């Protein structure tokens, strides 16, 4: 999926070099995707529960590939922005249905493992997306930035066909019995299904938003997304602008960031299953603290090896927070409404991503890289404050 989405971030340095588009304009272009992606999550999570999660996932890949290929033939920034907006909606058809798929195959006491695996490979997918853009630029250098919108999405479309042939969206589809949730796992064991009986199709949204615990996670993931996409979108440009690297070298140097993200999202949620099953908020505090410190010292480093180590650490702990959010989201929605809960959560995440694209795009347009890292540090501090307040309230509630 990321091959038709993070390819823009990888192409931005070449777009700046080959066109007269500014980082402010490209920040707005990037933001358009996040808004349509977030709004699509609001609808597609619920719609996939009604019409079938696998249909949405496969359609997402194929429609996104088509939008990307069309972009590769364009020269108007306005037309590209319109197509990129459609691409955002198409991409939004995959994640929430995917979370629903996991909730049907994994019980609540193992969802940290399941979502950790999904987010881990999501992180590695971000690295694969960068690598594929580098390969595309080497294979078709005459195409310039346009090469980033052709080859990567063709591979993604091929994988979608394999997915269609191999994947079932519920255990019952292969003759297995549905599992029972584990009451001792420490999850909320919500009664959303019972509460929704006889109510409108939109009632699950109301039910979720009335939960203060769920609302806290919405704010945390929005802030995490500011940090995550603030790094993913602009770090490749940072290397070309401040360190004098060429586009390919800048992307290669940036690769350690998504690789770190993959490992952080893979392992931290699994550890949380074991040690923080009843309250994952302390994990957020630890990860945001380390991420904030790294962001604060990063612009003062000039040695490439130290920078690579810091990027890996930042990626590991920043994306680990993202991994921690999905088990509480699926617990809140239960098996029946996990896609709705995940879609609403992803909407909040991409509101944050949209904000950073615009704000950071214009900040960097003024060549103020230090402000970028200060704002990323502030977002980490706000996550610590939120998680600390919510954790204290959680402890009081548990004692009561």
């Amino acid at each position: 999926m990321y091959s038709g989405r993070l390819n823009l971030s990888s192409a931005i340095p070449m777009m700046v070099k080959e066109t007269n588009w500014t980082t402010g304009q490209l920040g707005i272009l990037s933001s358009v995707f996040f808004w349509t992606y977030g709004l699509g999550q609001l609808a597609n999570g619920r719609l996939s529960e009604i019409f079938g999660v696998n249909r949405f996932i496969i359609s997402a890949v194929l429609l996104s590939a088509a939008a990307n290929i069309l972009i590769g033939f364009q020269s108007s920034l306005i037309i590209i922005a319109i197509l990129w907006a459609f691409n955002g909606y198409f991409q939004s058809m995959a994640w929430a249905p995917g979370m629903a798929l996991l909730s049907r195959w994994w019980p609540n006491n193992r969802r940290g493992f399941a979502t950790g695996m999904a987010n881990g490979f999501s992180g590695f997918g971000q690295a694969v997306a960068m690598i594929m853009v580098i390969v595309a630029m080497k294979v078709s250098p005459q195409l310039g930035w346009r090469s980033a919108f052709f080859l990567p999405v063709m591979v993604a479309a091929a994988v979608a066909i394999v997915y269609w042939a191999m994947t079932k969206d519920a255990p019952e589809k292969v003759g297995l019995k549905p599992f029972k949730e584990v009451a001792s796992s420490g999850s909320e064991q919500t009664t959303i299904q019972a509460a929704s009986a006889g109510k409108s199709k939109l009632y699950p949204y109301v039910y979720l938003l009335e939960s203060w615990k769920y609302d806290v996670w919405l704010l945390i993931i929005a802030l995490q997304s500011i940090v995550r996409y603030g790094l993913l979108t602009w770090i490749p440009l940072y290397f070309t602008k401040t360190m004098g690297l060429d586009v390919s070298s800048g992307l290669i140097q940036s690769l350690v960031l998504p690789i770190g993200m993959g490992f952080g999202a893979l392992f931290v949620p699994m550890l949380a299953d074991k040690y923080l099953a009843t309250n994952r908020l302390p994990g957020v505090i630890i990860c945001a603290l380390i991420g904030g410190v790294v962001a604060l010292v990063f612009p003062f480093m000039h040695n490439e090896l130290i920078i690579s180590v810091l990027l890996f650490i930042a990626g590991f702990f920043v994306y680990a927070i993202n991994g921690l959010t999905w088990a509480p989201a699926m617990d809140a929605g239960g098996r029946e409404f996990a896609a709705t809960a995940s879609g609403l959560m992803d909407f909040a995440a991409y509101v944050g991503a949209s904000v950073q694209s615009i704000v950071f795009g214009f900040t960097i347009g003024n060549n103020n890289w230090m402000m970028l890292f200060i704002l990323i540090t502030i977002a980490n501090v706000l996550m610590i404050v939120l998680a600390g307040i919510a954790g204290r309230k959680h402890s009081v509630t548990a004692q009561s």
Side-chain angles (χ1 to χ4, degrees):
M1 289 301 297
Y2 283 114
S3 298
R5 166 171 162 189
L6 284 182
N7 52 345
L8 174 64
S9 301
S10 300
I12 280 178
M14 190 166 285
M15 289 172 134
V16 171
K17 182 179 178 181
E18 295 180 3
T19 70
N20 59 357
W21 301 332
T22 67
T23 56
Q25 290 173 314
L26 292 173
I28 292 173
L29 173 63
S30 178
S31 176
V32 164
F33 173 97
F34 295 136
W35 283 112
T36 55
Y37 183 94
L39 291 170
Q41 288 287 0
L42 282 177
N44 289 325
R46 188 75 189 99
L47 289 173
S48 69
E49 290 165 349
I50 298 171
F51 296 107
V53 296
N54 268 358
R55 292 176 183 173
F56 271 67
I57 293 170
I58 295 165
S59 298
V61 183
L62 299 179
L63 291 170
S64 175
N68 272 269
I69 290 170
L70 286 174
I71 286 172
F73 290 103
Q74 307 306 316
S75 57
S76 166
L77 188 59
I78 293 176
I79 295 176
I80 291 173
I82 293 171
L83 289 170
W84 198 241
F86 276 105
N87 185 45
Y89 183 83
F90 298 148
Q91 289 258 333
S92 76
M93 297 168 65
W95 182 256
M99 290 296 100
L101 186 86
L102 294 182
S103 73
R104 295 175 184 179
W105 280 94
W106 296 91
N108 49 13
N109 65 323
R110 295 291 287 156
R111 283 185 188 140
F113 167 81
T115 58
M117 288 290 287
N119 279 277
F121 279 86
S122 172
F124 297 137
Q126 294 167 117
V128 169
M130 284 187 178
I131 292 170
M132 291 177 71
V133 171
I134 294 169
V135 170
M137 289 177 176
K138 296 291 185 183
V139 171
S140 306
Q142 73 279 5
L143 294 176
W145 63 265
R146 301 173 191 278
S147 60
F149 296 90
F150 290 137
L151 178 63
V153 296
M154 293 179 185
V155 176
V159 172
I161 296 171
V162 176
Y163 178 94
W164 170 78
M166 295 182 65
T167 308
K168 303 300 180 183
D169 58 13
E172 297 88 325
K173 296 290 181 68
V174 291
L176 297 173
K177 295 181 179 179
F179 59 76
K180 293 183 178 180
E181 301 287 12
V182 181
S184 60
S185 68
S187 71
E188 293 181 53
Q189 292 296 308
T190 63
T191 57
I192 185 171
Q193 289 87 348
S196 300
K199 303 282 180 61
S200 75
K201 297 289 187 183
L202 298 178
Y203 180 76
Y205 292 103
V206 177
Y207 182 95
L208 290 165
L209 291 172
E210 286 178 343
S211 166
W212 69 265
K213 293 180 183 178
Y214 185 81
D215 293 338
V216 166
W217 283 108
L218 289 179
L219 294 172
I220 287 173
I221 200 170
L223 290 165
Q224 180 273 340
S225 224
I226 290 174
V227 176
R228 172 193 174 194
Y229 278 101
L231 295 173
L232 280 172
T233 303
W234 304 111
I235 283 295
L237 187 63
Y238 176 82
F239 285 122
T240 59
K241 286 289 188 181
T242 67
M243 299 187 67
L245 300 179
D246 60 43
V247 174
S248 293
S249 298
L251 288 175
I252 292 170
Q253 184 74 33
S254 304
L255 270 174
V256 292
L257 176 64
I259 291 172
M261 289 181 172
F263 281 109
L266 187 65
F267 291 114
V268 172
M270 296 182 194
L271 292 172
D273 266 357
K274 185 174 182 179
Y275 299 107
L276 300 171
T278 59
N279 180 17
R280 297 170 192 264
L281 292 167
V284 173
I285 294 173
I286 295 170
C287 292
L289 178 62
I290 296 173
V293 170
V294 171
L296 202 57
V297 303
F298 185 84
F300 298 102
M301 300 295 119
H302 303 288
N303 179 278
E304 289 189 15
L305 178 60
I306 295 175
I307 286 174
S308 295
V309 172
L310 289 176
L311 276 181
F312 182 88
I313 294 171
F316 186 96
F317 289 101
V318 163
Y319 206 48
I321 298 172
N322 188 76
L324 290 169
T325 61
W326 299 106
M330 289 194 291
D331 285 348
R335 290 189 73 200
E336 188 174 347
F337 299 112
T340 302
S342 299
L344 190 53
M345 189 77 72
D346 226 17
F347 167 74
Y350 283 88
V351 169
S354 304
V355 170
Q356 71 78 26
S357 287
I358 297 172
V359 173
F360 293 166
F362 283 102
T363 298
I364 295 167
N366 296 324
N367 207 30
N368 195 348
W369 287 97
M370 180 59 71
M371 182 56 66
L372 169 75
F373 293 107
I374 289 174
L375 292 173
I376 286 174
T377 301
I378 291 172
N380 277 291
V381 170
L382 290 175
M383 280 191 281
I384 294 170
V385 172
L386 269 173
I389 294 172
R392 185 174 300 177
K393 186 173 180 180
H394 176 90
S395 297
V396 171
T397 304
Q399 289 172 4
S400 300

